[in-house]
Amino acid sequence: MTMTTMALPVLRSVLPVLLSATVIVASGAAPAAASPAPDPVLATLMPVPAGQLTVTAVDAAPLGVIAGTASVQVTNPDGTVSTVSTPQRWARVPRLGWVRQPLALPDGATSGVVDGLTNAIEAAGRVTVDGVSRAVRWSASGLSSTLIGDAATGVTAVGPHGPWGVATDTAQLPASGYAELVTRDGTRTLLAGTPELDAGYRRTVGSIGGPATALVWVTDGVGMGTTARPVLWVSGATQRLPVVSSYFLRSACVSPVLADGSVVSSGYTIDGGTVALVMVRHVGGVPGTNVELSRATAAGQPVAGLACTSGFKPDNLAADGGIAGFVTDAEGTRAAYWNAANERTLVPLAAGERSAKGVAVANGGRMVIQAEAEDGSVRLSLWHNGLLRSLTTPDGWSVSSVVELTDHRLLVANVRDASGAVRPAVWEL
């Protein structure tokens, strides 16, 4: 995503809120403006609420604001244990470093979870009100919120400037549900009515590229026969992407959809009874064109794909068409980068690495590589113009999941310590 001029005054208006909030915690001093980053680059741990076991970042806006959720287990009066979650946001403030802002819960809400941010740093997700989940979006200041769904709803995707993808669960079995796009003025568009969208009992918005572009997952089947298929939606028209997730075939990985309807997918496809493992770039919206970047139909053939982490949205397609992924062949699994012309670059494994994948990408051919070392540890590095820069974590912390590499040289990830505690970390590149 790119920074917009309209978002700059929004950030200026939010800084006083961050500075005046009594619960804000500062972490580290602001780096010297003219000093180049050292090599390797050491991550900064984000400040977290006291006593929190799990604090995870889920998204980063172009302005450098990060959103996530803090969760802690509490013991209830009856002795049962429950998890309480609170929505959070972080921003770097001059002379203070990174500061944290809890987002205000609406009246009657007891907990909240963040799913994503708009370019104007408006968080969205779900809150629990009277024991049920409600879809919500927060203001740019974080001091107020608007419920945008009834009972059993939640935001599953956020557009750069809206709309918001809202999923609604129903009481039917198997667990069915429908999805809508909700605009800032409250206009709701039901994502249904085409053969691709109606080919299942559950629809969930996976990503939103713009006001009229979304990726929708459609679920069908029961038990081990359950399948999930990605469908591209553009102004009411739909196109099913070629991959499928199922119990017997591994989960498909699909990039965020761009405003022009471009999207990349990898996984298994079934075509005329033939099962193949493919990586496909789709361009041109609906109906558009599929460009195969890789196809394997037999064991031992080279395989290319995208890397997805369960529970987190992928960051593997840049606005300029660059793709972060991997290739597995006789030499092992190595990170790979594809430019907009579909030209592929393989990144050799570094000394001591047994495998590596591209896990995040930004404009200008910048890619974050996550590698597994021979000793089982996880390493991160930034690849750009054929050069690698090591990205290290503070002592006692290791990388749990990579969230996003922004076009303004900010890498956000979640790290874990030996006790199992998780918190966000940032590399300023």
Side-chain angles (χ1 to χ4, degrees), residues 246-313:
S246 75
Y247 178 85
F248 296 102
L249 304 176
R250 75 184 189 189
S251 297
C253 183
V254 182
S255 75
V257 63
L258 301 183
D260 64 1
S262 298
V263 62
V264 181
S265 60
S266 70
Y268 282 99
T269 185
I270 304 174
D271 186 7
T274 300
V275 178
L277 192 55
V278 300
M279 179 175 175
V280 178
R281 184 199 295 267
H282 182 88
V283 296
V286 176
T289 303
N290 285 334
V291 180
E292 280 198 355
L293 304 179
S294 172
R295 172 178 282 264
T297 57
Q301 293 179 336
V303 173
L306 304 174
C308 280
T309 300
S310 178
F312 291 88
K313 298 180 186 299

Side-chain angles (χ1 to χ4, degrees), residues 18 21 23-24 49 86-89 100-105 141-143:
L18 290 169
V23 291
I24 282 176
T86 55
Q88 308 286 321
R89 199 167 58 177
R100 175 182 61 85
Q101 178 197 15
L103 300 176
L105 293 174
S141 70
L143 300 179

